[in-house]
Amino acid sequence: MTSETILTALRAFINARPSFDWRNYQGAPEAYRADYAVAYRDLQDARVLLRACALASVSADDLRAALTDARRLTLNSETGALEFTACQYPPTEYRAAACRALADALERHYMPGVPDRAALLRVLRNVLGARLVRRWF
């Protein structure tokens, strides 16, 4: 499986609708809006991380290793689709799991060229920006 195939699977996974169930929020529209905001922020972060992986030409091996280390996100080798195991509420968790896997892949990609973690974070700050580095690294 190539890195393009894996990135395409990640893109499809990230862009899937969160499928919030309004019945879980009866009488609490502010809770719905809060969960929606979390899901939307994770979507934006995942898109930036995905684009960074594509632009940096992260290898398929790094992506596979990151997905293997992700505890709740696995790549089905037969179908090429991502499978997610939720803990509590999938609409607010699945994009964050993808962000963690993409962040791990970027870390694996850039780590061999830098001497220590502080230098790695400086490189990633230049690539992604300070907010994403603080949140995902």
Side-chain angles (χ1 to χ4, degrees), residues 47-117:
R47 286 179 174 166
V48 171
L49 290 165
L50 188 68
R51 181 164 169 74
C53 283
L55 290 175
S57 298
V58 174
S59 71
D61 291 336
D62 288 341
L63 289 166
R64 256 193 247 80
L67 289 171
T68 301
D69 288 349
R71 290 181 291 269
R72 298 180 301 169
L73 193 59
T74 56
L75 181 65
N76 186 328
S77 59
E78 293 176 11
T79 63
L82 288 169
E83 297 169 355
F84 177 68
T85 304
C87 283
Q88 298 203 350
Y89 193 46
T92 59
E93 295 176 350
Y94 75 102
R95 288 179 178 149
C99 286
R100 281 189 292 278
L102 288 165
D104 188 29
L106 281 168
E107 189 171 340
R108 289 170 191 272
H109 176 74
Y110 284 110
M111 193 57 170
V114 294
D116 59 1
R117 181 138 177 93

Side-chain angles (χ1 to χ4, degrees), residues 15-61:
N15 287 329
R17 295 178 63 102
S19 301
F20 287 111
D21 186 357
W22 61 271
R23 292 172 291 213
N24 291 338
Y25 298 98
Q26 295 222 346
E30 61 280 346
Y32 174 83
R33 286 191 294 275
D35 281 352
Y36 182 84
V38 168
Y40 185 75
R41 185 186 64 221
D42 289 347
L43 171 65
Q44 300 308 315
D45 289 354
R47 286 179 174 166
V48 171
L49 290 165
L50 188 68
R51 181 164 169 74
C53 283
L55 290 175
S57 298
V58 174
S59 71
D61 291 336

